[in-house]
Structures are given as structure tokens and as C-alpha cells.
């Protein structure tokens, strides 16, 4: 007889999904820092996309306008890249974000000690626990990063319209903006997964007895 | 020896290293438990019952000595086999119920079946059946927080029975229940042991357990004090009743 325990993938998905839904408020807080960091990233990048679209369409006047806002452009340039200061800010915000995620996930693991220990008593393997935590983080990451990216892109486009006038809207290169949003979503989801790795391993390695103590 | 021993504990000791001092909690326990018996492990609080419970259930490893389940030394099992043992062979019941708070009563009962590879529909059918058996039909969609202590413990009993285990291990199953619901849970366990030939091993200091036990193992200070069978118990409980 094969002595194997199993947890089908669909079941893991279901458990992870329910777990988030039940602890919705807590998940929201865990995700909030991600939303903010990703929206900042997406805002900056989309603003650059916007300015680039302007640059490609306009002449001397647009270049002067961009220079006035603070872009480092000259006649003949066809692309804009993030300035070192922008990059540094993005890096910092993402760093703060991942530290926040690790912190929140560690708390979530501590909160669920008994639950994890019980699952192990019922026959869960270490990797079931890791899988559930990673799926939860994946859901949270995807939802948080998507809303952050859309928020960031929306704000960037709005402020672009304000800055360059309504007519500029038709000049936007949408594929660039779309790529930026997709990229931001990927980065955000990646961060969420990266942040849960250590807490999930910690949870999985926990011995069932530790969770069973009455006095805790 | 005529009946088969489902659990054998041989020279088990357990020390906890607290840094400065080492506490010897179990000081050499030998125990043989026959299939189908209802065993109570009795002893005052702090005598090491839960520690012994964890050793028998494969939740913790002894410092020395061996625990055999079905004559297999559980220290020799790898992580997969140990998980399988916890899933299929043993059903656990805890003082604090330990239901998964985010799952409904039914989901709590079907979880061990999912781990055991039971298809979803079959698990749901059996889960409903078990909930009915413990007197909770109609409560399957309730979360643990919406159930009383006694009801939660009934769900835990149903969960423990999910994979038809040969052993039910219960650590103070009535510890957090009032007199009446405690009696109900004891009655339920007794019924399971009789009807399904499950070996019930229950750590407790609840004297209500004495009436239903086939055997009582008295633990004192990390050692087996004495082992009493049914016949001897009738005399002692008679004595107890008189003394009161
Ligand atoms: N993990 C542990 N670390 C240190 N001491 C422990 C640990 N677990 C139990 N003990 C000690 O072992 C003794 C017996 O505990 P326990 O087995 O829980 O007793 P019981 O269940 O009979 O009340 C107690 O003195 C307790 O403090
Ligand atoms: Mg105890």
C-alpha cells in the first residue's frame, strides 16, 4: 500500500482563497503597502511614458515644456528614462514594501500557529503548508499589485492631461503604458511571493506539539 | 498474551532542556494497550499526561525508549509515513478543540479525508454522515465560532473518526466542557469504541471517565503508578462514592 497523503491543487486554492476571505481586513492591511509601492512605481513609469509620447509627437515647444517640468531632454532625443533620483525612490519604496510584507506575514504565521499545528496533526506535510501560504500571498500580490498599478497609471494619465492639455490624450502610445502596468503587476506579485517565503518556511517547519500547548 | 497490542510504549523517558535546568517529565513509562480498549490515562495536572499523549501520537519524540504502533517503531518512520500515520491511523481530540477557525464544521471533518486522498463527493457524504452521528446534522455550514464548546468538541470527534482510525487519542477532551456536555462527549467516545472497535486512549483527570474505561493507567510524577482493569475499578469507584 502506498502510504502517501495528498492535497490536490484545487483544494489548496480553495483553502487559500477562503482563508483570505475570512481574514479580509487583515489581508487588506497586508496588501496596502504593496498597493502604495506598486502605484508609486507605476505612476512614475507611466508619467515617463506619457512624456515620451509627447516628445515623439512634438517639436521644440514640447521639449521646453518637458525641461521646465524637470526632464533631462534635448533636441533629437526619442526616449526618456527614469532619472537616478526616481529610480532610487522606487527602489526604496519597494524595499519598505517588502519589509512590510515580511512583517505582516510573520504576524499572520504566529496568529495561525494552532491552525498550522492542527493541520499537521491531521496529516498535512510541510509542503502543503508552504503551498497554502504561497497561494495566499499570490492572490494578495496579484490583487494588490493590479489595483496599485491601475491606480498609479490612472493618476499619471490624469496629471498628464492636466499638464499637457486634453489634446495630448490622442497622442498617447497605449502599448507602452500597457507594458508598464503589466510590468508593475509582475513586480508587485513577485514581491509578495518573495516576502512570504521565509514566513511560510517557518510555518512549515513548526512541530505539531508547539501548536498544541494549552497555555499560550 | 491473547489480544494484539495496538500501542506499546517501552521505557519512554522525556526530558525538557530549559537551558539552565533539565526537567525529567517522563521517567520511564512501559505500557501495552490492547486493540479495542477504552483506556484512560489518569493523573494530576503536571504529571506528564500530555507529554505521553504526544509521544504516543507521534507528535513529539521521546528522549529515550520506543513507541510502537501496530508493532512499528514510530521513530523509524520518515516524514511521509509519519504524516500518513497521523492522517489514517490516529484521530486526535484536544482539550481546546482545535478546529480550523476559517472552515465550516463540514470542511473541518472532510479535511483529513482530503489529505487521505478521498474524492470530494465521497468526503462530503461521509462528513455529513459523521456530523449526524455526533448529533450535529443541520450544523454543517457553521463556523467553529458559531458553535458551543460541546458542539465544537463533537465536530472534533467527527473529524477524528473521518478516516476510520484504529486509535483515537484524546487529551483532556472534557477539560473545557461543563459537566453535562462533558458526559455527552465521553458517552460518544465510549459508543465509538464499542461500535467501531476503535481503541480510545484518553488523558484526563476527569473522574467521569472512570465509569466507561476498560482500563485506567494512573500516572504520577512521570511514572506509571498503577494499572487498574474494569473489575478493580468497580470496587474503587464504589469506595470513592462511599467516601464522598
Ligand atoms: N515543552 C515543554 N518545555 C518544558 N517543560 C514542559 C514542556 N511540556 C511540558 N512541560 C512540563 O512537563 C510537565 C508535565 O506536563 P504535561 O505533560 O502537560 O502534564 P499534564 O498533561 O499531565 O498536565 C509539566 O511540569 C510541564 O511544565
Ligand atoms: Mg495536559
Amino acid at each position: 500500500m502506498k502510504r502517501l497523503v495528498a492535497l490536490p491543487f484545487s483544494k489548496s486554492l480553495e483553502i487559500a482563497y477562503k482563508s483570505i476571505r475570512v481574514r479580509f481586513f487583515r489581508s487588506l492591511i497586508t496588501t496596502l503597502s504593496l498597493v502604495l509601492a506598486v502605484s508609486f512605481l507605476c505612476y512614475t513609469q507611466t508619467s515617463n511614458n506619457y512624456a515620451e509620447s509627447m516628445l515623439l509627437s512634438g517639436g521644440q515647444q514640447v521639449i521646453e515644456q518637458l525641461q521646465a517640468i524637470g526632464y533631462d531632454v534635448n533636441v533629437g532625443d526619442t526616449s526618456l528614462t527614469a532619472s537616478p533620483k526616481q529610480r532610487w525612490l522606487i527602489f526604496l519604496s519597494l524595499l519598505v514594501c517588502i519589509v512590510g510584507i515580511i512583517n505582516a506575514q510573520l504576524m499572520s504565521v504566529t496568529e495561525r500557529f494552532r491552525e498550522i499545528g492542527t493541520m499537521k496533526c491531521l496529516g498535512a506535510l510541510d509542503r502543503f503548508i508552504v503551498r497554502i501560504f504561497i497561494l495566499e500571498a499570490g492572490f494578495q500580490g496579484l490583487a494588490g499589485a493590479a489595483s496599485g498599478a491601475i491606480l498609479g497609471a490612472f493618476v499619471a494619465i490624469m496629471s498628464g492631461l492636466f499638464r499637457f492639455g486634453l489634446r495630448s490624450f490622442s497622442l498617447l502610445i497605449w502599448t507602452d503604458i500597457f507594458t508598464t502596468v503589466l510590468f508593475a503587476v509582475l513586480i508587485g506579485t513577485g514581491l509578495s511571493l518573495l516576502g512570504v517565503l521565509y514566513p511560510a518556511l517557518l510555518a512549515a517547519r513548526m512541530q505539531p506539539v508547539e501548536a498544541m500547548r494549552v497555555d499560550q | 498474551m491473547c489480544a494484539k497490542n495496538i500501542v506499546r510504549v517501552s521505557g519512554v523517558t522525556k526530558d525538557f532542556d530549559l537551558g539552565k535546568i533539565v526537567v525529567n517529565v517522563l521517567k520511564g513509562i512501559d505500557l501495552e494497550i490492547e486493540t479495542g480498549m477504552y483506556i484512560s490515562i489518569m493523573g494530576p495536572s503536571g504529571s506528564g499526561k500530555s507529554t505521553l499523549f504526544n509521544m504516543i501520537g507521534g507528535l513529539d519524540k521521546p528522549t529515550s525508549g520506543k513507541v510502537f504502533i501496530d508493532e512499528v517503531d514510530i521513530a523509524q518512520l520518515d516524514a511521509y509515513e509519519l504524516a500518513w500515520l497521523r492522517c489514517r491511523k490516529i484521530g486526535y481530540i484536544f482539550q481546546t478543540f482545535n478546529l480550523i477557525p476559517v472552515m465550516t464544521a463540514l470542511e473541518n471533518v472532510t479535511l483529513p479525508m482530503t489529505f487521505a486522498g478521498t474524492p470530494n463527493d465521497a468526503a462530503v457524504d461521509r462528513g455529513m454522515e459523521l456530523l449526524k452521528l455526533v448529533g450535529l446534522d443541520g450544523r454543517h455550514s457553521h463556523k467553529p465560532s458559531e458553535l458551543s464548546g460541546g458542539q465544537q468538541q463533537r465536530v472534533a470527534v467527527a473529524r477524528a473518526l473521518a478516516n476510520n482510525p484504529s486509535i483515537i487519542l484524546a487529551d483532556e477532551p472534557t477539560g473545557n466542557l461543563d459537566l453535562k456536555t462533558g458526559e455527552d462527549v465521553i458517552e460518544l467516545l465510549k459508543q465509538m469504541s464499542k461500535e467501531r472497535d476503535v481503541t480510545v486512549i484518553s488523558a484526563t483527570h476527569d473522574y467521569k471517565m472512570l465509569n466507561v474505561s476498560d482500563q485506567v493507567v494512573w500516572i504520577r510524577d512521570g511514572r506509571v503508578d498503577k494499572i487498574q482493569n474494569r473489575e478493580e475499578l468497580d470496587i474503587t469507584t464504589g469506595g470513592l462514592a462511599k467516601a464522598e
Side-chain angles (χ1 to χ4, degrees):
Chain A
M1 191 197 292
K2 247 175 71 187
R3 301 193 153 193
L4 273 185
V5 284
L7 182 61
F9 190 72
S10 60
K11 216 50 186 180
S12 329
L13 269 180
E14 194 186 315
I15 294 176
Y17 172 70
K18 280 198 182 117
S19 192
I20 292 180
R21 221 184 50 188
V22 169
R23 285 180 266 256
F24 185 73
F25 192 66
R26 160 161 269 293
S27 304
L28 206 66
I29 293 181
T30 311
T31 320
L32 209 60
S33 74
L34 187 72
V35 174
L36 291 177
V38 170
S39 72
F40 178 64
L41 167 75
C42 198
Y43 169 79
T44 318
Q45 296 298 98
T46 310
S47 296
N48 287 350
N49 288 146
Y50 206 117
E52 210 170 270
S53 308
M54 294 299 102
L55 182 67
L56 289 173
S57 68
Q60 188 61 37
Q61 192 202 346
V62 176
I63 289 179
E64 273 165 19
Q65 203 179 359
L66 288 175
Q67 279 168 340
I69 307 169
Y71 281 102
D72 181 23
V73 282
N74 292 299
V75 184
D77 284 353
T78 52
S79 70
L80 279 170
T81 48
S83 68
K85 192 176 129 204
Q86 274 181 342
R87 284 201 205 126
W88 181 232
L89 277 176
I90 290 174
F91 173 74
L92 275 185
S93 77
L94 294 181
L95 191 71
V96 169
C97 164
I98 196 168
V99 171
I101 290 175
I102 294 176
N103 183 31
Q105 293 287 14
L106 279 176
M107 272 178 65
S108 159
V109 166
T110 321
E111 236 172 42
R112 290 157 75 175
F113 249 41
R114 188 181 290 275
E115 189 179 326
I116 297 162
T118 308
M119 285 216 188
K120 288 196 145 186
C121 285
L122 300 181
L125 292 170
D126 290 8
R127 62 175 135 93
F128 297 179
I129 310 285
V130 172
R131 200 195 293 160
I132 290 172
F133 270 86
I134 287 189
L135 283 173
E136 276 182 38
F139 281 140
Q140 289 175 344
L142 206 60
S147 31
I150 290 171
L151 180 73
F154 179 76
V155 174
I157 291 172
M158 283 302 132
S159 66
L161 287 177
F162 185 69
R163 199 178 270 157
F164 300 104
L166 277 178
R167 250 173 3 100
S168 65
F169 193 70
S170 58
L171 301 171
L172 285 181
I173 304 170
W174 286 100
T175 48
D176 284 359
I177 294 180
F178 186 70
T179 312
T180 297
V181 169
L182 201 69
F183 178 72
V185 171
L186 283 181
I187 292 269
T189 312
L191 280 185
S192 181
L193 293 176
L194 203 65
V196 82
L197 224 53
Y198 171 68
L201 286 178
L202 204 69
R205 274 211 311 266
M206 199 187 68
Q207 293 301 307
V209 260
E210 291 175 44
M212 294 302 122
R213 299 244 168 78
V214 177
D215 47 311
Q216 54 173 344
Chain B
M1 192 174 29
C2 43
K4 197 169 145 265
N5 288 329
I6 186 145
V7 176
R8 191 154 62 85
V9 178
S10 152
V12 162
T13 68
K14 180 70 181 177
D15 304 335
F16 286 109
D17 194 345
L18 299 182
K20 286 204 188 74
I21 49 161
V22 176
V23 206
N24 314 106
V25 174
L26 298 181
K27 299 167 182 167
I29 302 257
D30 294 291
L31 209 56
E32 286 178 356
I33 294 173
E34 286 172 27
T35 308
M37 297 277 261
Y38 190 117
I39 312 280
S40 289
I41 299 175
M42 283 265 180
S45 155
S47 53
K49 301 185 296 294
S50 295
T51 310
L52 180 60
F53 171 96
N54 292 336
M55 303 296 145
I56 296 176
L59 304 180
D60 202 358
K61 291 196 164 60
T63 307
S64 68
K66 286 191 161 75
V67 175
F68 300 87
I69 306 245
D70 267 343
E71 291 307 322
V72 176
D73 179 0
I74 59 173
Q76 303 298 323
L77 302 179
D78 63 25
Y80 294 94
E81 291 168 319
L82 206 54
W84 187 88
L85 180 91
R86 288 176 192 149
C87 182
R88 307 293 295 263
K89 271 265 166 199
I90 304 178
Y92 302 87
I93 298 173
F94 305 93
Q95 178 174 353
T96 45
F97 320 136
N98 289 8
L99 300 178
I100 313 282
V102 299
M103 295 186 187
T104 64
L106 181 64
E107 287 163 348
N108 265 286
V109 178
T110 53
L111 188 63
M113 293 190 249
T114 305
F115 290 156
T118 313
N120 201 38
D121 291 344
V124 167
D125 286 348
R126 185 167 161 71
M128 295 298 266
E129 211 173 280
L130 285 168
L131 283 174
K132 197 159 159 195
L133 188 75
V134 299
L136 284 179
D137 39 346
R139 298 298 185 120
H140 61 273
S141 59
H142 288 230
K143 293 264 165 60
S145 57
E146 298 158 2
L147 297 169
S148 72
Q151 288 170 332
Q152 288 188 49
Q153 198 61 305
R154 283 160 182 276
V155 176
V157 172
R159 180 178 70 183
L161 291 167
N163 289 324
N164 273 321
S166 0
I167 306 168
I168 286 194
L169 274 177
D171 190 6
E172 313 244 3
T174 58
N176 281 7
L177 300 178
D178 61 43
L179 198 73
K180 176 70 177 71
T181 43
E183 272 171 356
D184 290 348
V185 167
I186 292 173
E187 189 51 47
L188 195 58
L189 287 174
K190 179 64 185 176
Q191 192 191 331
M192 296 306 124
S193 104
K194 254 200 297 205
E195 286 172 9
R196 297 174 175 239
D197 211 27
V198 190
T199 311
V200 176
I201 305 172
S202 165
T204 185
H205 56 244
D206 184 347
Y207 284 103
K208 293 196 290 295
M209 284 277 189
L210 290 177
N211 300 324
V212 295
S213 306
D214 296 317
Q215 197 174 58
V216 177
V217 180
W218 296 85
I219 303 267
R220 183 168 292 275
D221 199 18
R223 287 202 175 82
V224 176
D225 195 20
K226 61 186 173 200
I227 299 181
Q228 291 179 306
N229 289 319
R230 185 71 256 160
E231 313 84 62
E232 304 166 62
L233 277 167
D234 287 333
I235 303 167
T236 338
T237 41
L240 261 179
K242 231 176 274 168
E244 276 172 11

